Amino acid sequence: MTAATGTAPSERTATVPAPTIGRLERFAAVGSTNDVVRDWLAAGEPEICVAVADEQTAGRGRNGRTWTAPPNAGLLLSAGFRPTWLPVDRVWRLAATVSMAMAEAAEEVAGLADGSIGLKWPNDLFADGDGPLRKLGGVLGESDGLGTDDPRVVVGIGLNVDWAAADFPADLRSTMTSLRVLAGRPVDADRLLSTFVERLTVLVGWLRDGAFDARQWIDRQVTTGRTIDLIAPDGAIESVVAHGVDPNSGALLVGDGRNRRSVFVGEIRHVRLSGV
């Protein structure tokens, strides 16, 4: 996997201190780990800070959707950053980096093949197992103060870990999956957390040093080559073909016939894979 600079991140010499997890705290239950980490950052907590919950009572996804999971069936966490070292137009790479770190960690802990977990633009995690694509995890990035001298970014992620298929909600059974289902065995969420933290610090270290793992981010996109539905804020639906992603702007590249354009996260409410 190569970085956007054309230099393999693992071969680069760091010019900034390697990041560490300054605060990692686990809760039995919270409303939202994103809210916990946002409060920490507002109170002056340095990056990288991570809040983990066994249960969220008010977890949320993009555009006001909710994210729920039975206690101890998923890995629910949020990571907080102070990206003074990252240009504003590259801040989207933090959520992408968190997603890639989780995909790498999940594949390792569940014993899955490299690249078997994909990203549905912008950052949700999907996997197919032996059948159609199903959602494995959701990602929500939120920010405050971008463009000021005190930028703060929170990236929340909820991953279905040790959740048996028989216990999936009836209305989601045909569209979701878990690491337990993909691995065919129970999966240790604690080991997944520690592996994720290891991968996150490595990838954020590269990002701080100017290297983004663009090749991995591009290769993991499950939208590429598929017909997708772009759902606008007013609910209007446009069906287009996804042709890839732009590692410089973070945009989704779509087209209809010969016409192609860039789509940015703030322009739409949701991306839906046709037939999924």
Side-chain angles (χ1 to χ4, degrees):
M1 296 176 285
T2 58
T5 59
T7 302
S10 58
E11 297 174 357
R12 294 174 61 88
T13 300
T15 59
V16 294
T20 59
I21 303 298
R23 179 176 185 177
L24 193 160
E25 190 169 343
R26 189 160 198 158
F27 302 87
V30 297
S32 164
T33 55
N34 266 32
D35 290 342
V36 171
V37 172
R38 180 184 292 104
D39 289 346
W40 287 352
L41 292 173
E45 189 72 34
E47 66 174 35
I48 304 171
C49 51
V50 178
V52 186
D54 296 327
E55 182 181 10
Q56 287 189 126
T57 58
R60 58 184 179 273
R62 292 189 66 237
N63 301 302
R65 292 189 293 273
T66 60
W67 178 269
T68 59
N72 303 310
L75 180 58
L76 311 173
L77 63 83
S78 296
F81 306 90
R82 293 183 176 278
T84 54
W85 41 269
L86 194 60
V88 172
D89 64 353
R90 296 291 187 269
V91 167
W92 65 268
R93 289 180 171 177
L94 279 171
T97 295
V98 170
S99 299
M100 290 189 291
M102 185 61 78
E104 291 181 8
E107 288 167 353
E108 178 179 334
V109 172
L112 305 176
D114 291 348
S116 59
I117 295 176
L119 306 180
K120 190 202 77 172
W121 186 89
N123 299 301
D124 288 346
L125 282 77
F126 273 67
D128 56 9
D130 295 324
L133 281 169
R134 295 171 184 264
K135 188 170 183 177
L136 178 65
V139 179
L140 176 66
E142 299 176 313
S143 63
D144 295 295
L146 295 186
T148 73
D149 60 359
D150 185 25
R152 302 185 297 274
V153 173
V154 180
V155 182
I157 187 164
L159 196 80
N160 302 325
V161 183
D162 199 31
W163 197 344
D167 297 328
F168 291 170
D171 59 334
L172 299 176
R173 197 162 292 160
S174 64
T175 60
M176 68 177 286
T177 190
S178 69
L179 285 184
R180 179 172 183 155
V181 170
L182 295 170
R185 59 173 173 79
V187 175
D188 186 344
D190 290 337
R191 184 183 166 209
L192 176 60
L193 174 61
S194 63
T195 305
F196 163 75
V197 167
E198 291 173 1
R199 295 308 303 155
L200 180 66
T201 55
V202 169
L203 293 181
V204 172
W206 292 344
L207 195 60
R208 284 172 60 96
D209 199 26
F212 173 64
D213 200 345
R215 185 74 267 156
Q216 177 180 184
W217 186 65
I218 291 169
D219 288 347
R220 286 190 185 271
Q221 297 298 320
V222 299
T223 44
T224 301
R226 294 176 179 270
T227 298
I228 61 173
D229 294 331
L230 300 179
I231 304 176
D234 63 1
I237 299 174
E238 179 187 10
S239 292
V240 295
V241 175
H243 294 283
V245 287
D246 182 350
N248 294 310
S249 68
L252 176 68
L253 306 177
V254 303
D256 181 6
R258 296 182 179 180
N259 299 315
R260 296 191 180 185
R261 71 181 194 275
S262 298
V263 176
F264 296 90
V265 173
E267 299 174 354
I268 58 171
R269 191 176 73 195
H270 183 55
V271 172
R272 182 172 60 204
L273 298 175
S274 295
V276 177

